[in-house]
Amino acid sequence: MGGDGRAWERLADGVVRRRLPEWDATVGAVSGDDGALVIDTGSSLREGAGIRADVTALLGRRVRWAALTHPHFDHVFGTAVFSGAQVYAAVGAAAFLDRHGEALRDDAVAHGLPEDEAAEAADVLARPHHPVSGQLTLDLGGREVVLVNVGPAHTEHDLAVLVPGDPDVVFCGDLVEESDEPQAGADAHPARWPAALDRLLALGGEEALYVPGHGAVVDAAFVRAQREELARRFAGPDA
């Protein structure tokens, strides 16, 4: 499925992900007996609605939970279409969205999202219901996933999602990127980024699949190499 030709990939039993068009952002989904969890929600309400329809059809479960890896427009602007879902994000993300809705709208337009779509998404921007400080285990019914606050690094509010299984799958958000270099904007904490990647590696271990915020699925060796490159690139005091 996926109208732009990029299909959903099966990563493990009941665990899927898709690379979205335009910005190559990843969205993931995990199935439990009681419903489905989505990981990130797309860059617009239109994109979010497509994700919801796809996940419901693929997994045969209603989306009851959403986890936002970080509060950038291409990962959160579709959240409002998941009516009734409980939304999780790193502590502080809700306040960030309250303060920066207009800035996110402007950033989306600057990156090419049509102005009407950006304004619509910003107007109904959904705030997370559940702040995650440290880590939290979420029971989907017969399956548990672990939400881990690993920031600040790429942003002040970075959340990773560990899905234990065969193999373990770690959704990394933009802490890891495969299709381009990791992007460090004004809200990044570059000097802390390597430590966040150490935390990801400790979560998943050597055999896990690591799902970047943009690009193809990678292994532990890729994450470790990116960690070393970031340490070299951003050597010095934190910004």
Side-chain angles (χ1 to χ4, degrees):
M1 304 183 76
D4 70 327
R6 283 185 174 170
W8 287 81
E9 302 171 54
R10 181 185 179 277
L11 304 179
D13 185 35
V15 185
V16 297
R17 79 96 180 222
R18 184 183 169 208
R19 294 168 68 173
L20 297 169
E22 301 298 334
W23 298 284
D24 194 26
T26 284
V27 60
V30 184
S31 177
D33 292 341
D34 296 337
L37 163 73
V38 295
I39 301 154
D40 288 341
T41 61
S43 63
S44 67
L45 298 178
R46 171 180 50 81
E47 198 162 65
I51 293 163
R52 182 183 61 187
D54 278 1
V55 169
T56 301
L58 279 168
L59 300 181
R61 298 286 189 272
R62 180 169 67 91
V63 176
R64 292 190 56 200
W65 305 276
L68 306 179
T69 61
H70 61 289
H72 285 171
F73 84 91
D74 50 331
H75 297 264
V76 305
F77 262 14
T79 307
V81 306
F82 293 91
S83 177
Q86 295 298 299
V87 182
Y88 294 77
V91 65
F96 179 93
L97 294 172
D98 280 333
R99 295 193 307 268
H100 297 290
E102 290 186 2
L104 290 174
R105 176 201 64 201
D106 293 345
D107 188 43
V109 172
H111 281 84
L113 188 67
E115 288 188 23
D116 58 340
E117 292 194 51
E120 180 184 35
D123 283 347
V124 296
L125 187 57
R127 275 57 172 178
H129 306 107
H130 304 284
V132 179
S133 179
Q135 70 181 49
L136 181 151
T137 299
L138 189 60
D139 185 357
L140 309 185
R143 160 173 249 154
E144 293 183 339
V145 300
V146 184
L147 312 181
V148 185
N149 185 331
V150 293
H154 172 65
T155 71
E156 295 182 5
H157 314 290
D158 294 311
L159 188 77
V161 180
L162 168 66
V163 187
D166 185 18
D168 291 348
V169 180
V170 181
F171 287 89
C172 306
D174 286 5
L175 292 167
V176 178
E177 295 195 40
E178 184 275 335
S179 54
D180 201 351
E181 288 190 358
Q183 301 303 303
D187 57 343
H189 292 258
R192 300 189 185 187
W193 206 325
L197 296 188
D198 288 338
R199 187 82 183 276
L200 292 182
L201 289 164
L203 275 175
E206 290 301 309
E207 304 304 320
L209 299 178
Y210 292 86
V211 185
H214 302 264
V217 175
V218 299
D219 59 11
F222 181 96
V223 176
R224 189 171 294 107
Q226 193 155 92
R227 181 243 187 260
E228 295 305 318
E229 176 58 30
L230 284 166
R232 287 192 295 270
R233 178 178 166 191
F234 297 120
D238 195 6

